[in-house]
């Protein structure tokens, strides 16, 4: 897929879709201009605004029979893309 890995489909992001805002998980190195171009190319919509944030990985622990194993989840970047009024992105059209 390139810069955009997948849409982030959570309850909060579903509520934001009614306001014309869509949430995507993107590459850590992607910037706002690249994200806007990729969304326009993939979905054919006019992008008004892009907001980005990095989600730092959390420390997780798991107990086994002999020891406690700990590690980290991956750090990832999210982008909130605002599209022009009246335009819609349909994630479920190919299902």
């Amino acid at each position: 897929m390139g810069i955009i890995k997948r849409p982030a489909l959570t309850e909060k992001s579903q509520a934001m879709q009614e306001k014309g805002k869509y949430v995507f998980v993107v590459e850590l190195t992607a910037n706002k201009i690249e994200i806007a171009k990729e969304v326009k190319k993939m979905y054919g919509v006019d992008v008004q605004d892009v907001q980005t944030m990095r989600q730092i990985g959390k420390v997780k622990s798991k107990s086994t029979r002999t020891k406690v194993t700990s590690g980290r989840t991956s750090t990832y970047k999210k982008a909130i893309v605002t599209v022009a009024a009246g335009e819609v992105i349909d994630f479920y059209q190919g299902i």
Side-chain angles (χ1 to χ4, degrees):
M1 281 179 102
I3 294 172
I4 296 176
K5 292 183 178 179
R6 66 182 180 276
L9 300 174
T10 62
E11 289 183 31
K12 190 171 184 179
S13 69
Q14 295 287 336
M16 292 172 68
Q17 288 181 8
E18 297 172 5
K19 300 175 185 172
K21 296 183 178 189
Y22 298 89
V23 182
F24 297 95
V25 176
V26 298
E27 291 287 333
L28 280 171
T29 57
N31 61 32
K32 294 180 181 187
I33 297 167
E34 293 171 342
I35 294 167
K37 286 180 184 177
E38 187 78 15
V39 169
K40 184 171 183 170
K41 186 174 87 174
M42 287 179 67
Y43 298 105
V45 295
D46 291 326
V47 176
Q48 297 293 323
D49 187 34
V50 177
Q51 297 172 328
T52 60
M53 64 192 84
R54 288 179 47 149
Q55 180 67 46
I56 305 299
K58 298 177 182 177
V59 176
K60 300 276 186 166
S61 297
K62 178 172 100 171
S63 296
T64 62
R65 286 184 176 178
T66 57
K67 62 181 177 179
V68 175
T69 306
S70 63
R72 294 188 71 87
T73 59
S74 299
T75 298
Y76 61 95
K77 190 175 203 176
K78 293 192 290 187
I80 301 174
V81 178
T82 305
V83 298
E87 294 193 2
V88 178
I89 296 175
D90 186 16
F91 295 125
Y92 303 109
Q93 76 184 31
I95 297 176

